[in-house]
């Protein structure tokens, strides 16, 4: 499979990375090169093989249902590029 | 007495306790060394005051009889670890200025044990790279140079290249690294030091900027196996804040260190003999085999048939996970925000991420996004995870025949900065020997073995069974004792 | 069974196919993957942990209670419990989603197929039911909240809800009318509230539905569906089905085609509109969340969850009919809400104890009093059962006073009115106001004798065959006794005195 410029732009949009057509054009052969290389995995017969779910045997430790966190708005907002009235502020969203 | 900055972790710890020197003297000496090594660009920020603060606390604790196991030892911390009140960037522009209000579990454990922090070590951006050329804050330069009389700046390896360079230059006694596909071991090999990647889940990932969650592991880097063992003891342990953390006791690895391998079997995986591998690396590998025999081990040839597919599987799985892990860098809650005139929310995301991520990071996010996208998921991601199952099985089969595997750490010695930066796949191939054990979550250590003709270090790798860090340390020690590696980069910086 | 509901189009009749995805907030103190509180109505960004704000290096750890409640709910929906499930990441960018992905379950949900029976006519609970299939139930994180009206050029982000645990319950497209859709949600809500896994509070957003609607010619191929998001009342769900079905029929008949898309309901205009803001890229790139291990449950865990389930509404309704002898209607009314059934059962236990009788013996008067008297009064007062000024203890006491003859029906009504006002115990009221009914034959006989003497002419007429006058004598006697005489005793004594 090989990607065209349009696909590169679509992927860039999915990943929310602003990209000009020229940049996409430049990236295209690089991506195709890498994709072509990883596609050698297709050679491996994986019929009947389960995809790996967990690398080292382990089991889920579940948390108790207790409030142990929160109540730290100053910390939460400390690094915000823009915070007002206790909220993060972003350009207006029209739904 | 030797120069303080030439001492390792154990020597500082013991000398401090014997009152040969104070913690403050140690911290002062390393602070000076750090300040004098700007040419290496090992640090993104230095924190001399933090080092002194911890040293003073260690001095008082010693007097009070409450000194922790790492009291008096100053360390470098890779900038992937979030450190409370100290900028933590993962070497990216997108996190520039980000000052965590929290301390990662692992760095917190080290500080808790009495260690001090000399600063935040430079690295490949978001730990993506094998040469330390992807940092937003500039390349890290290795203290090593080729013996050709030239002064080509050499790569310290990556992604923990600030760490490896600083340790090799003796401006820190030891430091933390992280390893996703070889990011501790390959830079250790490039700079003639030791680096240990523990079993996946040994060290908590809480507070470490995530690259690929199913692979990321923190580990120690230092100039000796023993120092790595000491540090890992302080770093490891179950953390209820990390669901993938292993609820296993942390053994006293240092105490049980032994280079006697009598009764142990060492596997030599035949698939690790790759094309175009420099003859010197092959020779060192054979030499390593002899050293382990000398330590009492029996050598067996084993087969890990899916080795060849580890790297391509890795370059699907790691970018896929990264594409999601890095989605949180969006300019809303922290870090960079780019807001072009008239931009809406989605434009802001795209502009912020375009400006904040470096080229390699974008490349991997793009690959990761693509392999997960509709219609391609099974062909790429699911297939890669199936191959990963086969790779895990390969190791399981090998363990029926041997206790450890011995391999070279990297397929080449260090290269010059810029030599591979135009060829991503050639760069990725640096991790050909380290990635399989990463995919299988196994502990592995890199130990320096010797120098090549150019005067550059070469390393050997020992891979062990899950949770057998002790065995890996012991085999590493057996190599270290016999290699007697004492070469050191001549100071030019 | 085929629904009767049809849309009349220019080209004939159309039927509607409805499937619902209900998001129900799991009742828990802490969030699904962090220890921050789930409390409603807190100051912005105060119920937020570093994990909920997706700070670098933060990791999720699952709240076991949320898993347990999802399993209990699955069991109550007669559904398959999957002993092996897993969380996946659903990737998209939005300001209410700090991680850039929602942790959800696509490939291996914790609960698989189930079904519930929904009565087609609320008034006729023993009438026809329709079985609505449940496709799956999975656990996922809620998003934060965006405020658009606080600043002219900016939206504000509040992450208090970010990471709150939700169950998404996906139905089969088994509903064929707005009424069926509403009945399904009503029944589902009732079950969740019985189980205690969700408070069902639709105004606060603890339950909301994504309404999938398509239309087709009767018996024809399934049409393209649209999904209207986050509809938060029964009435709106019905409106969405009606307007969306109408829109689709008109569109198709005008030669257009229905686009598979996400829509938004505007309750003010009563219509749905396309939600372009979320339309651009429906490629969520789901993959297993590598920060979390698979959720592996044991048979014992499931058995414990099953054992912890209360009696569910259908079973309870049948028991009320069969063991307590209640009418189908009363049984349905009393079991529709867990809260009502709990109240009724407390009343029943206390009534039986007060009257030293079996629950079956006291059930009918208790049910009648609760449904006609108390519900009527609460309705008048605009109060819920949990705000009732009359407690079940006092209700039981009142019923016992009627049963033992202390109060007549009329007196009981009077006492009840005072109870509503004061919240006092009925015995106290009877004592204070002297409302006790008298069965003292001597006193009544004296009064009767006086009345007969004063109305000799009427006595003559009565004895001459004018039977109807009996009522007159009863009335006079009761009046003279200020309404407190036991009417049965009055009847008896009057007959004796008049008929000899
Ligand atoms: Mg939905
Ligand atoms: Zn959902």
């Amino acid at each position: 499979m090989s990607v065209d410029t349009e696909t590169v732009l679509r992927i860039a949009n999915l990943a929310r990375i602003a990209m000009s057509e020229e940049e996409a054009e430049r990236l295209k052969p690089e991506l195709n090169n890498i994709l072509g290389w990883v596609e050698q995995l297709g050679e491996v017969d994986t019929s009947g093989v389960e995809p790996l779910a967990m690398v080292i045997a382990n089991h889920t430790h579940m948390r108790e249902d207790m409030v142990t966190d929160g109540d730290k708005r100053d910390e939460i907002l400390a690094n915000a590029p823009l915070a007002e009235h206790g909220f993060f502020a972003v350009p207006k969203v029209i739904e | 007495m030797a120069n303080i900055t030439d001492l390792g972790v154990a020597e500082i710890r013991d000398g401090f306790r014997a009152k040969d020197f104070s913690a403050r003297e140690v911290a002062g000496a390393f602070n000076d060394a750090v300040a004098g090594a700007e040419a290496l660009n090992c640090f993104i920020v230095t924190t001399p005051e933090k080092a002194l603060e911890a040293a003073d606390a260690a001095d008082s604790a010693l007097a009070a009889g409450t000194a922790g196991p790492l009291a008096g030892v100053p360390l470098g911390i890779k900038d992937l670890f979030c450190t409370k009140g100290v900028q933590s960037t993962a070497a990216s522009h997108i996190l520039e200025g980000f000052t965590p209000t929290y301390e990662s579990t692992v760095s917190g454990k080290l500080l808790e044990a009495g260690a001090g922090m000399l600063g935040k070590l430079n690295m490949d951006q978001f730990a993506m790279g094998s040469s330390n050329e992807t940092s937003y804050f500039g390349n890290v330069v290795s203290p090593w140079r080729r013996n050709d009389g030239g002064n080509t700046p050499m790569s310290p390896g990556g992604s923990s290249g600030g760490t490896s360079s600083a340790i090799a230059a003796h401006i820190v006694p030891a430091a933390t690294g992280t390893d996703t596909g070889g990011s501790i071991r390959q830079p250790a090999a490039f700079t003639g030091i030791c680096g240990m990647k523990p079993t996946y889940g040994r060290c908590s990932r809480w507070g470490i900027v995530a690259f690929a969650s199913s692979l990321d592991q923190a580990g120690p880097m230092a100039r000796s196996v023993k120092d790595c063992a000491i540090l890992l003891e302080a770093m490891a342990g179950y953390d209820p804040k990390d669901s993938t953390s292993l609820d296993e006791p942390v053994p006293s690895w240092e105490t049980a260190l032994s280079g006697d391998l009598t009764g142990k079997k060492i596997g030599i995986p035949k698939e690790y003999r790759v094309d175009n591998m420099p003859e010197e690396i092959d020779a060192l590998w054979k030499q390593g085999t002899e050293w382990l025999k000398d330590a009492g081990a029996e050598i067996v040839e084993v087969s890990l048939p899916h080795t060849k597919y580890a790297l391509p599987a890795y370059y699907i799985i790691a970018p896929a996970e990264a594409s999601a892990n890095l989605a949180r860098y969006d300019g809303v809650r922290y870090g960079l925000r780019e807001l072009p005139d008239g931009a809406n929310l989605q434009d802001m995301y795209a502009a912020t991420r375009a400006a904040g991520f470096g080229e390699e990071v974008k490349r991997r996010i793009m690959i990761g996004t693509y392999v997960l996208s509709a219609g391609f998921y099974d062909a790429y991601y699911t297939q890669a995870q199936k191959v990963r199952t086969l790779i895990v099985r390969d190791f399981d089969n090998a363990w029926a025949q041997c206790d450890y595997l011995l391999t070279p750490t990297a397929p080449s010695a260090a290269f010059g900065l810029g030599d591979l930066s135009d060829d991503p796949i050639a760069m990725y191939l640096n991790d050909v020997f380290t990635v399989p054990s990463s995919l299988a979550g196994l502990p592995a250590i890199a130990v320096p073995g010797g120098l090549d003709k150019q005067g550059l270090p070469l390393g050997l790798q020992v891979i062990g069974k899950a949770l057998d860090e002790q065995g890996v340390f012991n085999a590493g020690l057996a190599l270290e004792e016999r290699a007697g590696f004492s070469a050191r980069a001549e100071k030019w910086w | 069974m085929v629904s009767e509901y049809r849309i009349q189009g220019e080209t004939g009749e159309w039927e509607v196919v409805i499937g619902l995805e209900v998001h129900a907030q799991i009742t828990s103190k802490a969030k699904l993957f962090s220890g921050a509180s789930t409390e409603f109505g807190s100051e912005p960004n105060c119920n937020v942990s570093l994990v909920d704000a997706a700070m670098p290096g933060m990791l999720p750890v699952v709240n076991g209670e949320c898993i347990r409640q999802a399993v209990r709910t699955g069991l109550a929906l007669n559904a398959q419990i999957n002993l092996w499930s897993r969380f996946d990441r659903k990737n998209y960018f939005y300001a209410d989603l700090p991680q850039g992905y929602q942790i959800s379950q696509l490939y291996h949900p914790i609960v698989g197929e189930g079904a519930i029976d929904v009565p087609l006519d609320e008034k006729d609970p023993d009438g026809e039911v329709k079985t609505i299939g449940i496709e799956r139930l999975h656990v996922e994180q809620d998003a934060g909240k965006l405020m658009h009206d606080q600043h002219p050029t900016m939206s504000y982000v509040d992450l208090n809800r970010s990471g709150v645990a939700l169950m998404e319950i996906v139905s089969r497209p088994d509903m064929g009318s707005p009424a069926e859709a509403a009945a399904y949600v009503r029944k589902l809500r009732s079950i969740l509230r019985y189980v205690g896994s969700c408070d069902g509070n639709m105004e606060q957003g603890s339950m909301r539905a994504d309404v999938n609607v398509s239309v087709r010619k009767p018996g024809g191929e399934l049409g393209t569906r649209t999904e209207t998001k986050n509809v938060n009342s029964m009435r709106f769900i019905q409106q969405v089905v009606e307007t969306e079905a109408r829109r689709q029929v008109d569109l198709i008949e005008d030669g257009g085609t229905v686009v598979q898309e996400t829509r938004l309901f505007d309750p003010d205009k009563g219509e749905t509109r396309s939600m372009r803001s979320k339309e651009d890229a429906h490629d969520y790139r789901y993959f297993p969340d590598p920060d979390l291990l698979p959720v592996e449950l044991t048979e014992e865990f499931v058995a414990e969850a099953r054992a912890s389930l209360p009696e569910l509404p259908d079973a309870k309704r049948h028991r009320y009919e069969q063991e307590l002898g209640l009418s189908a209607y009363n049984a349905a009314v009393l079991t529709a809400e867990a809260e009502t059934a709990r109240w009724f059962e407390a009343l029943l236990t206390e009534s039986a104890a007060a009257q030293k009788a079996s629950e079956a013996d006291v059930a009918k008067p208790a049910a009648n009093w609760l449904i006609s008297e108390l519900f009527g009064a609460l309705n008048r007062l605009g109060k819920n059962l949990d705000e009732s000024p009359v407690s079940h203890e006092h209700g039981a006491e009142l019923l016992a006073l009627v049963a033992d003859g202390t109060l007549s029906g009329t007196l009981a009504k009077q006492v009840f009115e005072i109870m509503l006002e004061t919240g006092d115990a009925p015995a106290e009221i009877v004592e204070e106001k002297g409302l006790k009914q008298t069965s003292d034959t001597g006193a009544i006989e004296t009064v009767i004798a006086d009345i007969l003497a004063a109305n000799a002419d009427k006595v003559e007429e009565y004895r001459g065959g004018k039977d109807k006058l009996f009522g007159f004598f009863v009335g006079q006697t009761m009046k003279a006794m200020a309404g407190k005489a036991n009417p049965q005793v009055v009847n008896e004594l009057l007959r004796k005195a008049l008929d000899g």
Side-chain angles (χ1 to χ4, degrees):
Chain A
M1 277 168 275
S2 109
V3 298
D4 53 17
T5 309
E6 196 187 318
T7 307
V8 175
L9 288 169
R10 184 175 63 78
I11 296 298
N13 179 49
L14 263 182
R16 291 299 184 280
I17 296 173
M19 197 173 285
S20 67
E21 198 137 337
E22 297 74 61
E23 284 171 281
E25 207 61 62
R26 193 157 16 93
L27 200 54
K28 183 175 67 178
E30 289 180 19
L31 295 183
N32 278 323
N33 210 6
I34 296 168
L35 289 170
W37 173 66
V38 298
E39 275 164 20
Q40 61 180 295
L41 286 188
E43 298 165 11
V44 185
D45 179 5
T46 54
S47 43
V49 177
E50 284 295 315
L52 192 81
M54 152 163 60
V55 60
I56 301 291
N58 199 349
H59 67 278
T60 295
H61 291 73
M62 298 196 198
R63 251 181 328 107
E64 266 188 73
D65 185 29
M66 290 192 320
V67 177
T68 55
D69 207 341
D71 226 346
K72 50 170 82 158
R73 177 156 81 188
D74 291 349
E75 273 188 58
I76 297 298
L77 299 176
N79 281 284
L82 189 60
E84 290 184 4
H85 312 298
F87 296 97
F88 296 101
V90 298
K92 193 151 196 119
V93 178
I94 294 126
E95 284 192 323
Chain B
M1 194 189 67
N3 202 329
I4 283 182
T5 55
D6 290 336
L7 304 179
V9 173
E11 293 158 322
I12 293 171
R13 175 192 66 185
D14 299 342
F16 161 70
R17 285 174 184 265
K19 303 209 166 75
D20 295 345
F21 37 74
S22 69
R24 195 174 177 88
E25 284 175 79
V26 176
F30 280 105
N31 277 341
D32 291 348
V34 167
E38 273 178 32
L40 301 177
N41 199 28
C42 290
F43 285 88
I44 294 174
V45 283
T46 58
T47 54
E49 68 298 334
K50 292 250 170 212
L52 290 175
E53 214 175 281
D56 290 346
D59 285 329
S60 326
L62 185 65
T66 58
L70 290 176
V73 181
L75 298 171
I77 303 291
K78 188 180 183 182
D79 205 31
L80 204 61
F81 294 78
C82 289
T83 44
K84 188 173 181 172
V86 178
Q87 175 185 268
S88 305
T89 67
S92 70
H93 184 33
I94 209 158
L95 274 175
E96 196 170 4
F98 171 64
T99 308
T101 58
Y102 50 95
E103 185 77 35
S104 81
T105 298
V106 164
S107 57
K109 276 170 168 276
L110 290 168
L111 299 179
E112 191 65 28
M117 180 168 84
L118 292 160
K120 301 297 293 290
L121 290 159
N122 204 348
M123 51 180 281
D124 277 304
Q125 191 169 150
F126 283 104
M128 296 175 186
S130 304
S131 65
N132 247 280
E133 293 169 287
T134 72
S135 169
Y136 175 73
F137 302 94
N139 299 342
V140 176
V141 183
S142 173
W144 291 90
R145 283 180 167 172
R146 293 193 181 105
N147 57 11
D148 57 6
N151 50 11
T152 313
M154 303 300 293
S155 166
S159 67
S160 308
T163 302
S164 64
S165 177
I167 295 168
H170 294 225
I171 63 173
V172 302
T176 62
T178 63
D179 191 313
T180 303
S183 281
I184 285 176
R185 294 160 284 165
Q186 181 258 16
F190 274 24
T191 56
I193 65 165
C194 294
M196 170 71 163
K197 180 198 94 74
T199 308
Y200 179 80
R202 267 290 189 196
C203 288
S204 168
R205 294 183 295 114
W206 192 89
I208 301 175
V209 172
F211 162 15
S213 308
S214 76
L215 294 150
D216 295 345
Q217 261 302 289
M221 296 170 75
R223 287 190 298 269
S224 72
V225 171
K226 183 177 176 180
D227 283 0
C228 285
I230 293 170
L231 285 183
L232 187 60
E233 268 180 58
M235 295 164 73
Y238 173 62
D239 181 2
K241 292 190 286 190
D242 175 358
S243 305
T244 60
S245 171
L246 290 168
D247 193 0
E248 295 286 341
V250 177
S252 178
W253 289 307
E254 182 193 7
T255 320
L257 272 180
S258 157
D260 179 2
L261 301 184
T262 307
K264 299 292 181 191
K265 286 185 180 161
I266 310 291
I268 306 295
K270 60 178 186 197
E271 291 81 5
Y272 280 53
R273 270 178 244 286
V274 297
D275 298 342
N276 307 324
M277 189 159 74
E279 198 213 307
E280 290 165 294
I281 289 183
D282 202 38
L284 175 65
W285 194 7
K286 289 201 178 83
Q287 177 65 67
T289 311
E290 292 308 314
W291 285 332
L292 293 182
K293 252 193 230 170
D294 181 59
E298 188 189 324
I299 308 298
V300 293
E301 178 157 295
V302 298
S303 171
L304 300 168
H306 297 91
T307 298
K308 168 181 175 202
Y309 300 105
L311 213 45
Y314 175 87
Y315 274 95
I316 289 171
I317 294 164
E321 293 183 10
S323 71
N325 281 334
L326 271 60
R328 65 188 56 197
Y329 306 104
D330 60 9
V332 175
R333 283 147 291 112
Y334 41 78
L336 183 72
R337 169 181 288 192
E338 283 284 309
L339 189 57
D341 270 351
N344 65 23
L345 177 73
Q346 300 294 343
D347 300 335
M348 179 185 95
Y349 290 157
T352 299
R353 294 162 60 79
F357 291 139
E359 290 311 309
E360 180 62 20
V361 175
K362 288 184 203 172
R363 191 152 42 224
R364 296 205 197 183
I365 291 175
M366 292 287 288
I367 292 286
T369 304
Y370 182 75
V371 298
L372 291 175
S373 66
F376 300 107
Y377 176 77
D378 281 330
Y380 289 107
Y381 184 81
T382 308
Q383 175 72 356
Q385 287 290 25
K386 287 178 177 174
V387 170
R388 193 172 179 186
T389 298
L390 293 173
I391 287 165
V392 170
R393 264 187 221 168
D394 281 357
F395 281 106
D396 286 344
N397 293 337
W399 301 138
Q401 294 168 262
C402 64
D403 299 292
Y404 321 117
L405 296 164
L406 178 72
T407 79
T409 308
S412 76
F415 43 83
L417 288 167
D419 284 0
L420 296 182
S421 43
D422 291 338
D423 187 348
I425 293 177
M427 187 68 88
Y428 298 168
L429 287 169
N430 264 286
D431 294 328
V432 65
F433 299 140
T434 49
V435 152
S437 44
S438 291
L439 287 171
L442 300 174
I445 196 167
V447 177
L451 299 178
D452 72 358
K453 299 194 279 289
Q454 306 178 94
L456 296 173
L458 296 174
L460 287 168
Q461 173 180 233
V462 176
I463 303 168
K465 299 171 191 169
L467 293 171
D468 188 19
E469 278 80 6
Q470 188 70 62
V472 173
F473 279 131
N474 288 354
L477 182 67
L479 291 172
E480 183 182 58
E481 286 170 346
R482 284 157 186 82
F485 184 86
S486 60
R488 170 172 180 185
E490 216 168 292
K491 187 169 188 300
W492 53 262
W493 54 91
Chain C
M1 189 192 337
V2 180
S3 175
E4 302 294 305
Y5 184 80
R6 294 286 183 273
I7 304 264
Q8 293 302 324
E10 281 166 18
T11 60
E13 290 193 329
W14 295 77
E15 57 182 40
V16 188
V17 179
I18 307 154
L20 294 173
E21 294 160 30
V22 171
H23 284 93
Q25 178 179 336
I26 300 178
T27 304
S28 66
K29 298 189 195 83
K31 293 184 179 181
L32 179 54
F33 295 115
S34 87
S37 168
T38 57
E39 197 178 287
F40 183 81
S42 302
E43 288 289 298
N45 290 309
C46 283
N47 294 344
V48 180
S49 75
L50 299 166
V51 176
D52 307 318
M55 291 289 166
M58 292 301 101
L59 298 170
V61 179
V62 74
N63 180 339
E65 176 63 8
C66 299
I67 297 298
R68 198 180 75 93
Q69 291 291 22
V71 169
R72 294 177 76 241
T73 307
L75 291 168
L77 300 177
N78 313 301
Q80 163 80 34
I81 304 301
N82 294 323
L83 295 180
W84 196 94
S85 68
R86 189 167 62 184
F87 287 101
D88 301 305
R89 293 182 180 178
K90 176 184 184 179
N91 297 286
Y92 65 94
F93 287 89
Y94 206 61
D96 61 8
L97 191 71
Q99 294 164 141
Y101 52 84
Q102 178 196 33
I103 305 179
S104 180
Q105 299 188 299
L106 176 72
Y107 299 108
H108 297 276
I110 190 158
V111 176
E113 283 186 72
I116 59 174
D117 285 339
V118 176
L120 289 183
D121 180 0
E122 244 190 299
K123 301 262 153 40
D124 179 16
D126 272 354
E128 251 184 306
V129 295
K130 184 162 179 173
T131 301
I132 307 292
I134 305 284
E135 193 177 302
R136 55 189 278 143
L137 175 157
H138 67 254
V139 176
E140 63 184 23
Q141 299 176 297
D142 203 352
K145 221 176 154 71
L146 282 185
M147 324 272 181
H148 305 300
D149 49 7
Q150 315 224 339
H151 190 281
T153 60
M154 286 188 291
S155 292
Y156 284 161
V157 186
D158 174 13
L159 298 179
N160 278 350
R161 285 195 70 86
S162 164
V164 164
L166 303 177
M167 296 179 277
E168 180 172 334
I169 303 162
V170 182
S171 83
R172 295 241 171 248
D174 284 349
M175 288 150 280
S177 73
E180 281 179 24
Y184 165 76
V185 175
R186 204 173 289 118
K187 184 62 178 282
L188 188 61
R189 181 173 178 274
S190 163
I191 293 172
L192 299 188
R193 285 167 56 86
Y194 262 82
V195 170
S197 58
C198 172
D199 68 19
N201 190 329
M202 296 185 90
E203 300 91 78
Q204 289 184 2
S206 329
M207 230 182 124
R208 48 197 202 256
D210 297 345
V211 185
N212 290 288
V213 175
S214 66
V215 296
R216 64 175 173 194
K217 283 296 174 76
E221 293 268 301
L222 273 180
T224 304
R225 69 186 165 86
T226 63
E227 179 179 6
T228 305
K229 290 267 187 201
N230 284 332
V231 186
N232 65 352
S233 83
M234 308 285 181
R235 192 160 61 86
F236 292 163
I237 291 170
Q238 302 196 57
Q239 273 183 315
V240 164
V241 174
E242 282 160 18
T243 58
E244 186 51 23
R246 182 81 248 171
R247 187 189 69 86
Q248 291 183 13
V249 166
D250 291 349
L251 184 66
I252 298 167
E253 291 190 333
D254 283 353
T257 36
V258 176
V259 196
Q260 182 165 348
E261 63 177 353
T262 304
R263 298 180 71 85
L264 196 68
F265 180 64
D266 183 339
D268 297 330
K269 293 188 184 150
E271 54 185 41
T272 67
R273 63 182 157 82
S274 186
M275 218 174 151
R276 306 225 181 271
S277 61
K278 283 197 177 173
E279 258 327 284
D280 62 336
H282 265 303
D283 191 344
Y284 292 126
R285 291 157 284 135
Y286 279 97
F287 76 106
D289 190 329
D291 283 334
L292 291 160
L293 300 171
V295 178
E296 292 175 277
L297 305 177
T298 59
E299 295 284 4
E300 296 78 71
F301 178 90
V302 177
E304 273 170 42
R306 192 187 298 276
S308 77
L309 285 180
E311 185 182 29
L312 294 169
D314 283 348
K316 205 182 266 300
R317 186 164 59 83
H318 287 127
R319 181 168 65 81
Y320 282 9
E321 287 182 42
Q322 274 144 32
E323 291 178 17
L324 301 179
L326 300 189
S327 69
Y329 178 78
N330 277 4
V333 170
L334 292 176
T335 56
E337 285 291 334
E339 190 50 38
T340 314
R342 246 195 309 277
W343 213 97
F344 173 66
E345 287 177 15
L347 177 72
L348 202 56
T349 310
E350 282 150 13
S351 284
Q355 299 176 37
K356 299 196 171 47
S358 74
E359 292 193 352
D361 289 337
V362 299
K364 272 188 207 167
N368 285 333
W369 174 78
L370 181 56
I371 291 171
S372 46
E373 301 298 327
L374 187 59
F375 283 178
L378 291 174
N379 228 342
R380 252 182 5 248
L381 298 171
K383 288 191 168 171
N384 291 321
L385 191 52
D386 60 358
E387 306 159 319
S388 167
V390 175
S391 67
H392 36 74
E393 290 87 351
H394 288 172
E397 204 179 304
L398 182 65
L399 289 167
L401 289 172
V402 174
D404 70 9
T406 310
L407 293 177
S408 64
T410 321
L411 281 175
K413 279 191 206 311
Q414 279 181 50
V415 172
F416 177 61
E417 286 305 321
I418 300 170
M419 290 165 74
L420 282 172
E421 252 167 59
T422 62
D424 288 344
E428 234 170 83
I429 295 168
V430 167
E431 195 59 42
E432 267 174 32
K433 311 257 171 185
L435 289 173
K436 207 182 202 119
Q437 159 176 280
T438 179
S439 306
D440 176 345
T441 46
I444 298 172
E445 272 165 349
T446 311
V447 170
I448 288 176
D450 289 350
I451 288 170
L452 295 196
N455 295 285
D457 50 337
K458 295 230 163 60
V459 173
E460 271 321 299
E461 281 177 50
Y462 174 81
R463 290 196 172 131
K466 208 167 175 189
D467 286 1
K468 278 182 188 155
L469 279 170
F470 190 75
F472 164 78
F473 294 112
V474 172
Q476 289 295 307
T477 313
M478 290 305 276
K479 196 174 159 194
M481 296 288 296
K484 286 175 222 163
N486 183 329
Q488 252 170 299
V489 177
V490 170
N491 271 359
E492 237 168 72
L493 295 178
L494 264 177
R495 291 235 183 263
K496 213 156 78 183
L498 287 167
D499 302 345

